């Protein structure tokens, strides 16, 4: 599994039209890792305390009380973190350059303009594990 961020996810102006070149595979959209908001917010804090570019765009869904981390395409094929799901978007409504959230009822916690690379899945997995442990420790104190 690749553990560095891919340069192919660097943002482009939203007005740019994507014209596939002959013989080139179609551009894939990022996958989406969805977690409960409490764990996701803790993971965002963990990631932001590290290197500045360790966390990519993050969606917040108030209705479902979840956060969604944009990760490189193909991540869903091997995602196995308990308490989370990873969905292949195949580009449907998801973009690292779109200024508007892809779904009604969602908003950007970290918009693509502020974080224009997908979150590294290995780093995200570690942050979600640490977040779960911190939440469990806090809950055990009550």
């Amino acid at each position: 599994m690749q553990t560095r961020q891919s340069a192919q996810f660097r943002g482009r102006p939203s007005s740019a039209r994507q014209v596939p070149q002959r013989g080139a595979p179609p551009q894939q959209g990022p996958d989406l890792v969805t977690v409960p908001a409490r764990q996701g917010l803790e993971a965002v804090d963990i990631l932001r305390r590290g290197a500045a570019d360790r966390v990519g765009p993050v969606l917040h869904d108030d209705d479902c009380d979840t956060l969604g981390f944009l990760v490189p395409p193909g991540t869903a094929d091997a995602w196995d973190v308990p308490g989370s799901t990873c969905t292949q978007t195949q580009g449907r409504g998801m973009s690292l350059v779109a200024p508007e959230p892809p779904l009604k009822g969602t908003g950007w916690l970290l918009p693509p303009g502020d974080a224009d690379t997908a979150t590294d899945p290995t780093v995200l997995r570690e942050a979600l594990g640490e977040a779960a442990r911190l939440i469990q420790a806090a809950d055990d104190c009550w």
Side-chain angles (χ1 to χ4, degrees), residues 87-114:
T87 307
Q88 294 176 338
T89 67
Q90 299 172 347
R92 294 181 307 255
M94 299 303 265
S95 170
L96 293 172
V97 296
E100 295 298 318
L103 301 171
K104 186 176 180 177
T106 64
W108 290 111
L109 179 67
L110 295 174
D114 292 343

Side-chain angles (χ1 to χ4, degrees), residues 90-140:
Q90 299 172 347
R92 294 181 307 255
M94 299 303 265
S95 170
L96 293 172
V97 296
E100 295 298 318
L103 301 171
K104 186 176 180 177
T106 64
W108 290 111
L109 179 67
L110 295 174
D114 292 343
D116 61 2
T117 59
T119 300
D120 182 302
T122 302
V123 173
L124 179 58
R125 178 178 278 117
E126 292 169 7
L128 290 173
E130 184 178 342
R133 290 186 295 278
L134 288 170
I135 290 168
Q136 184 63 46
D139 288 350
D140 287 347

Side-chain angles (χ1 to χ4, degrees), residues 44-112:
V44 167
D45 285 344
I46 292 164
L47 291 168
R48 292 192 79 172
R49 283 192 301 252
D53 63 351
R54 294 185 72 179
V55 62
V58 179
L59 283 167
H60 181 239
D61 185 338
D62 274 330
D63 294 338
C64 297
D65 199 28
T66 59
L67 288 187
F69 293 82
L70 298 179
V71 293
T75 300
D77 295 337
W79 191 257
D80 61 353
V81 177
S84 68
T85 59
C86 188
T87 307
Q88 294 176 338
T89 67
Q90 299 172 347
R92 294 181 307 255
M94 299 303 265
S95 170
L96 293 172
V97 296
E100 295 298 318
L103 301 171
K104 186 176 180 177
T106 64
W108 290 111
L109 179 67
L110 295 174

